[in-house]
C-alpha cells in the first residue's frame, strides 16, 4: 500500500514509455492462409518496417505444418533473461482440435486445474504454499490441433519450489482420479455456462462462427450430453493424455532465467 501511494503520474508515464513499445510486442496469428498471405495482411495493417524504432523489419518466426506432425520433436525449452524482478513461467502441451468430445475433456481438465480459488492449482500452489502471484490453466482448440498451457508469475526465491510443487500436483492429477464430488462440481459449472450462453445472442453467433472455422459442428445439446457423461476415470484418462504428451514446451522469462536450466530440464524429464 505504501509503495502504491508513493507512485507518481510521471513515474507511470516513464515506465509506460520505456516498456510499452512496438519492439517489445509479439504478433501471434493462427490462420488457414499461407505464410505469404498472412504476412501480406499483417504488413498491410501493422506496417512492414517500424521506421520510428528500427531500420530493420520486425523478426518473424514461422513453423511449417510438418513441425506439429513429426513425433521426433519431443520438447522445447526457452530461457530468456530480462531486467524484470519476477519470472513468467509457461508450460505448453498439444491439445485436441475442433469441437468434439476430446476438446470437452480438455476443458474439464482445464477446469479441474483452474476454475476458481478451490481448484487444484490456485488452492495448492498459491493458497497453500504461497508460491505465485498468479497461476492459471488454459485449453484452446483450433481447426486441427489445440494447446493446453499452464502459466505462472513468481519471484526468483520461489522458482525452484514452484517446479517441485507443480510437478507433484500434475503427477497426482495423472495418477489419481478426482473425486465424484469434484467432477460433479466441474460438470455443474460447465453446464451452467452453457445455459448462460443460450441466453446471449452475441455469444451464440460467436459460437456459430467458431464452429464454421473449426469445421466440427457441435450443438449445445450435444455438448451438454458429453459433459453429463464425464466420469472421474475419464477425467484422469484425459489428464494423462494431455500432461504426459512427449511434445512439451517450457518458456521461462526472468532476471536470471538461464540459471534454472537444469531444474526445468529435470521438471520436463519427470
Amino acid at each position: 500500500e505504501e509503495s502504491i501511494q508513493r507512485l507518481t503520474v510521471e513515474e507511470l508515464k516513464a515506465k509506460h514509455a520505456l516498456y510499452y513499445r512496438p519492439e517489445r510486442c509479439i504478433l501471434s496469428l493462427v490462420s488457414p492462409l499461407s505464410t505469404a498471405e498472412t504476412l501480406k495482411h499483417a504488413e498491410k495493417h501493422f506496417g512492414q518496417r517500424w521506421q520510428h524504432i528500427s531500420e530493420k523489419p520486425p523478426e518473424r518466426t514461422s513453423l511449417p505444418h510438418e513441425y506439429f506432425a513429426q513425433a521426433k520433436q519431443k520438447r522445447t525449452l526457452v530461457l530468456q533473461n530480462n531486467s524484470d524482478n519476477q519470472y513468467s513461467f509457461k508450460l505448453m502441451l498439444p491439445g485436441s482440435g475442433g469441437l468434439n468430445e476430446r476438446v470437452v475433456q480438455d476443458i474439464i481438465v482445464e477446469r479441474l486445474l483452474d476454475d476458481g480459488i478451490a481448484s487444484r492449482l490456485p488452492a495448492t500452489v498459491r493458497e497453500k504454499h504461497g508460491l505465485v502471484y498468479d497461476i492459471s490453466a488454459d485449453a484452446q482448440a483450433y481447426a486441427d490441433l489445440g494447446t493446453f498451457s499452464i502459466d505462472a508469475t513468481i519471484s526468483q526465491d520461489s522458482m525452484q519450489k514452484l517446479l517441485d510443487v507443480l510437478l507433484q500436483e500434475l503427477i497426482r492429477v495423472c495418477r489419481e482420479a478426482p473425486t465424484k464430488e469434484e467432477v460433479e462440481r466441474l460438470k455443474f459449472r460447465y453446464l451452467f455456462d452453457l445455459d448462460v450462453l443460450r441466453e446471449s445472442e452475441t455469444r451464440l453467433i460467436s459460437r456459430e462462427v467458431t464452429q464454421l472455422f473449426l469445421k466440427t459442428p457441435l450443438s449445445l445439446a450435444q455438448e451438454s450430453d458429453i459433459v453429463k457423461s464425464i466420469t472421474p476415470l475419464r477425467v484422469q484418462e484425459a489428464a494423462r493424455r494431455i500432461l504426459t504428451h512427449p511434445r512439451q514446451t517450457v518458456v521461462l522469462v526472468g532476471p536470471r532465467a538461464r540459471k534454472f536450466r537444469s531444474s526445468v530440464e529435470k521438471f520436463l524429464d519427470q
Side-chain angles (χ1 to χ4, degrees):
E1 183 177 350
E2 293 178 359
S3 298
I4 294 174
Q5 290 177 346
R6 286 198 299 268
L7 287 174
T8 65
V9 174
E10 289 71 22
E11 289 173 333
L12 292 175
K13 287 182 177 180
K15 185 175 181 65
H16 187 279
L18 180 62
Y19 291 104
Y20 288 78
R21 302 174 66 88
E23 71 269 25
R24 299 177 65 88
C25 297
I26 296 175
L27 177 63
S28 176
L29 297 172
V30 177
S31 171
L33 301 177
S34 66
T35 300
E37 274 296 299
T38 302
L39 287 176
K40 183 175 71 173
H41 288 290
E43 292 175 349
K44 175 183 177 182
H45 294 283
F46 294 95
Q48 185 174 13
R49 290 179 178 273
W50 297 346
Q51 300 271 353
H52 56 296
I53 295 298
S54 173
E55 292 300 320
K56 296 181 180 180
E59 294 183 5
R60 306 188 184 99
T61 300
S62 61
L63 296 175
H65 182 270
E66 292 75 17
Y67 173 89
F68 300 99
Q70 292 173 353
K72 66 179 183 179
Q73 180 66 30
K74 295 298 183 183
R75 68 186 192 187
T76 304
L77 177 59
V78 180
L79 303 172
Q80 178 64 54
N81 291 343
N82 74 358
S83 58
D84 204 347
N85 60 358
Q86 66 184 25
Y87 286 82
S88 296
F89 170 90
K90 176 184 282 289
L91 168 65
M92 182 170 286
L93 303 131
S96 304
L99 184 55
N100 48 49
E101 183 172 1
R102 282 170 66 97
V103 170
V104 173
Q105 292 173 355
D106 288 9
I107 295 172
I108 288 288
V109 175
E110 172 202 339
R111 288 173 174 263
L112 173 69
L113 294 177
D114 176 30
D115 190 26
I117 194 171
S119 51
R120 298 292 185 92
L121 295 183
T124 301
V125 180
R126 187 178 64 200
E127 302 303 322
K128 180 179 179 180
H129 293 279
L131 295 174
V132 297
Y133 303 120
D134 185 50
I135 188 165
S136 61
D138 182 55
Q140 293 288 337
Y142 305 103
D144 53 357
L145 55 89
T147 60
F148 192 95
S149 59
I150 296 173
D151 293 83
T153 52
I154 60 276
S155 68
Q156 178 176 337
D157 295 339
S158 302
M159 188 65 229
Q160 183 60 59
K161 182 67 173 176
L162 168 69
L163 293 174
D164 295 339
V165 172
L166 179 59
L167 176 63
Q168 292 307 311
E169 187 59 36
L170 297 183
I171 289 174
R172 186 165 75 94
V173 169
C174 293
R175 291 180 178 175
E176 303 173 12
T179 65
K180 183 179 179 180
E181 293 74 19
E182 194 172 16
V183 173
E184 289 302 315
R185 179 183 64 84
L186 295 172
K187 291 162 64 173
F188 175 82
R189 289 173 65 89
Y190 196 139
L191 293 171
F192 177 81
D193 288 344
L194 291 180
D195 287 339
V196 172
L197 191 151
R198 289 184 175 92
E199 300 173 1
S200 170
E201 294 180 358
T202 302
R203 294 180 64 185
L204 284 172
I205 292 173
S206 177
R207 178 186 173 92
E208 291 299 320
V209 172
T210 299
Q211 290 189 84
L212 180 64
F213 281 110
L214 297 182
K215 302 177 182 179
T216 51
L218 185 72
S219 69
L220 288 173
Q222 290 172 324
E223 187 170 356
S224 296
D225 289 341
I226 294 173
V227 174
K228 292 174 183 177
S229 70
I230 295 290
T231 64
L233 182 58
R234 286 189 180 182
V235 177
Q236 182 187 14
E237 291 171 347
R240 284 178 177 173
R241 168 174 55 81
I242 297 167
L243 298 174
T244 63
H245 198 287
R247 200 177 306 138
Q248 307 159 354
T249 297
V250 166
V251 178
L252 180 63
V253 179
R256 299 181 63 190
R258 290 170 189 154
K259 81 170 188 176
F260 291 103
R261 181 184 185 92
S262 60
S263 298
V264 176
E265 288 180 336
K266 182 179 178 182
F267 172 86
L268 288 172
D269 288 338
Q270 299 183 60

